[in-house]
Amino acid sequence: MTNHSETTGPFESNDISGQEPAATSADHATQVTLRTPAELADALPYLLGYRPEDSMVLVALHDHAGRRGRFGGRARLGIPATEEDWEAAARQLARGLVTGSERRGARPERMVAYVCQEPGPGESGRDVKQRLERLAQLMRTECGNLDVPVIEALCISDGRFWSYCCPVKGCCPEDGSPMGLPGTSVLAAAATYAGIQVRGTLRELRARFQPWETTAALEQEIALDAAGMSLVPRLLDETARQEVAEETLALAERIIRCYGTAAPVSGAHPADVRDDNLLADDEAATLILGLQDRTTRDRAAAWMEGDEAGPALRLWRALARRCVGPYGEHAAAPLTLAGWVAWSMGDELEAREALAMALAADPDYLFARLLHQACNEGLDPEAVRRCLRTESARHTTPVTKERTDPAPRTALTEPPQTPAPAPAAGIRADDQCAEPGSRTGRQRRRRARNAEGDDGRQTARAKGDRRRPADTRPRPSATRASRPGTRSPITTRTRAVGPGDASAGGAGSDAGRPQPEGNG
């Protein structure tokens, strides 16, 4: 238990490991001490790497090498809208973090719990604290059932925080204690010194992938219709389809080069506007439809490292924003590519969000499911990179059909000619994370399959007097994404003092998916 009335409780954080400048030695690791609930509340964005909204979060504490309470894995879930789902959510969160930590060989000894939600209309932060008290208690109960006690449970709302664990009546203000100004805490200073920046919210990150809702969306939809009419006959022809693939990749490569030489701008939104202005509607339509072909998409995934990776990620974001109106399902391809490149570049937070959104757009999209699972389980993306490098080298000459010859494969390699299996009930990402009791994507209509089944594609449906290929017909947009987990860019060591001198420290972070994702 932390000391609520003074700053003497040794809730200590060791270092922000793994994020120090390259020249910094282990002997000069940044030491941070968190002594109060206020400092614990301020630390949450640095533990996750972003500012959580509508979130229930657990942070594991470990005893290691004589140090007690070092921060370990983190797990986050969105708060379910209905109270009936709270118990299941708390159980899923607690079990996911504990079992994930055990899988990594470090069962947590204690936990710190958070519930974060902004007030609704006519509601105050105090009302939120009272409304979420049962959820916090359920989190404590579920952790206790696993023999991992929660030493502190905090509610953060409307710029204030409350403790659910303070044993002293009248110790904590009923209206909560104000949060410190962002960037003014000891931990914020240590993070700045280490070159670490905390992002905004997951909502702001998802906005970079969501389709346009402006008047420009209508023009983009018209361009997609026109491109579909011209590309459909060619995509249905086996030989012409390879020509479309080469044209798609050549156009994508040209846009990537253009993005790479564009003048830099400051800020995510201005940068996205710049990229949108560099991409014409007809070019975006051609790329979106061309990437529906699995072979073309896999070859495009090879732009994953070096100078190409950054501009490629910007292009995939821009294409996801162009999947407007009935073309929402088409976003699965660019979102999956964006998630893959972000993961390859070490940005697991953006990777999980993009992949979760891809699964929301198309729950059967196998490549996204495989990548999402691998990212959540903390696998090394280098195995996938090696496979893609090998496949890229094989494509020195045009390929006219799906490969049937043996190729190096990893656990993430999508098997050829195999329809995607039905998705699990709810894509679990906390990280983000799907809310228990909710569906992460709409019920997908059953697809009609080609009688020959040559590559698992469905036949085109006639609409009016034009036809679209199976992988390019428009569907109602699905922009709601599961809130995937995120590994914090900070691995923070912290010592916590409670009834048993709980301290916390820098183990790798498990961003809060149902399955924790850091070094538990």
Side-chain angles (χ1 to χ4, degrees), residues 313-477:
L313 177 57
R314 289 159 51 191
L315 175 58
W316 309 142
R317 288 194 200 115
L319 293 180
R321 294 192 293 269
R322 302 293 188 101
C323 294
V324 297
Y327 291 88
E329 188 178 273
H330 289 63
L335 284 168
T336 301
L337 289 171
W340 158 239
V341 176
W343 184 35
S344 179
M345 295 172 66
D347 189 344
E348 296 185 7
L349 173 60
E350 181 166 358
R352 290 190 184 95
E353 282 300 311
L355 293 170
M357 292 180 72
L359 290 169
D362 185 349
D364 289 340
Y365 207 71
L366 183 57
F367 191 35
R369 292 183 63 192
L370 295 171
L371 289 172
H372 191 259
Q373 180 180 356
C375 184
N376 279 342
E377 292 182 355
L379 301 184
D380 186 354
E382 178 58 25
V384 189
R385 283 194 292 259
R386 285 197 300 266
C387 181
L388 288 174
R389 292 187 197 110
T390 302
E391 289 298 309
S392 179
R394 290 173 177 266
H395 285 286
T396 54
T397 57
V399 178
T400 58
K401 63 178 180 178
E402 291 285 334
R403 286 188 174 274
T404 57
D405 55 312
R409 296 193 177 276
T410 67
L412 295 179
T413 306
E414 184 175 343
Q417 302 180 8
T418 304
I427 300 302
R428 298 186 177 181
D430 163 292
D431 267 316
Q432 311 274 17
C433 52
E435 301 173 357
S438 69
R439 298 183 66 86
T440 57
R442 55 185 170 72
Q443 181 68 29
R444 184 175 175 155
R445 296 192 298 271
R446 184 179 300 276
R447 294 185 174 183
R449 297 291 176 182
N450 189 319
E452 286 79 20
D454 56 342
D455 63 350
R457 292 183 177 277
Q458 66 185 84
T459 58
R461 289 190 179 183
K463 182 178 180 181
D465 58 350
R466 66 176 189 264
R467 303 171 66 204
R468 286 191 173 87
D471 288 331
T472 60
R473 75 177 189 278
R475 291 181 180 271
S477 60

